[in-house]
Amino acid sequence: VSTRPAEVTPLAPPAGGGRPVVAALGRFVAKKGFDRLVRAVALLRDRGVDAGCVLWGGGGEEDAIRAEVARLGLEDRVRLEGPYTQANLPRIFGEAIALVVPSVLDPVGDMDGIPTVIYEAQAFGRPVVGTRLSGIPEVIREGETGHVVPPGDEAALADAIAGLVGDPARTATMGRAAREYVLAHHDHRRNAALYLEWFGEHLNRT
């Protein structure tokens, strides 16, 4: 999906009536920052914001994440759905109003580069909330296709999610802009055509 966004059918915003949720996808390891997202959902609850999240994936930190969900009493707001495949993406993003990538620097200095799931979410027409880490800010246009917050800042994550929940029309507009961005900058066919055009012009000059 990440190299073929034009082949992905954009999704309509989730139907109203239920609790809005954001999605987070990836391995359950420290650098993904999923524990920070869980605590951000707790902050939203305490502020009276009706929002939840769905975590997809698995890994060594899964038991710790489940324990944090239980400790904070978030069983009704945070779901862990287990591993996923490309075939699951339409359902995942069909339910979610946005993707959250709460990446952090882990204790040994490891961190994400640019997670592929960002491009996938954008192709489906979903805005992305990511952290100001590594290459992530390069693919999220602040206030236009999503939001970028400091890594590890649970309050800032909560603020960004609350803004998306509180303004569905603007969130839908950001989702459309996210798709336009990924089509313009990260579609392999378009990029190949641009390279061929450039090489053709260069050869014609020589």
Side-chain angles (χ1 to χ4, degrees):
V1 172
S2 62
T3 59
R4 306 184 308 276
E7 298 175 13
V8 175
T9 301
L11 298 169
R19 171 175 290 148
V21 298
V22 297
L25 294 75
R27 292 181 299 125
F28 283 44
V29 293
K31 70 179 180 179
K32 294 297 184 182
F34 289 163
D35 56 335
R36 313 302 175 91
L37 175 55
V38 168
R39 291 195 283 273
V41 173
L43 289 176
L44 291 168
R45 177 199 58 195
D46 295 345
R47 296 178 187 178
V49 177
D50 191 24
C53 74
V54 185
L55 304 178
W56 291 84
E61 298 286 326
E62 183 172 346
D63 288 345
I65 296 295
R66 290 187 182 278
E68 187 71 348
V69 171
R71 183 183 73 83
L72 295 168
L74 294 173
E75 293 90 343
D76 64 330
R77 291 174 179 259
V78 179
R79 298 193 338 254
L80 279 68
E81 291 285 4
Y84 67 96
T85 67
Q86 292 281 310
N88 300 131
L89 295 179
R91 178 164 70 92
I92 292 170
F93 292 120
E95 176 188 23
I97 65 169
L99 171 73
V100 178
V101 182
S103 303
V104 296
L105 191 68
D106 79 5
V108 297
D110 192 15
M111 62 181 173
D112 279 326
I114 301 177
T116 301
V117 70
I118 293 178
Y119 301 127
E120 292 168 338
Q122 291 173 331
F124 282 106
R126 293 294 181 261
V128 181
V129 176
T131 55
R132 196 170 293 114
L133 193 70
S134 186
I136 293 173
E138 298 173 14
V139 294
I140 302 172
R141 293 183 173 178
E142 171 60 37
E144 181 181 345
T145 67
H147 295 294
V148 182
V149 303
D153 191 331
E154 295 152 15
L157 271 179
D159 290 343
I161 296 169
L164 296 175
V165 170
D167 194 342
R170 183 164 184 261
T171 299
T173 298
M174 293 173 74
R176 290 190 293 271
R179 179 171 168 83
E180 291 170 3
Y181 170 81
V182 78
L183 288 175
H185 298 282
H186 297 285
D187 184 274
H188 77 296
R189 290 182 178 175
R190 177 184 182 278
N191 290 341
L194 290 174
Y195 281 124
L196 289 172
E197 180 182 353
W198 184 89
F199 279 118
E201 291 177 354
H202 179 74
L203 290 172
N204 288 335
R205 295 195 192 105
T206 60

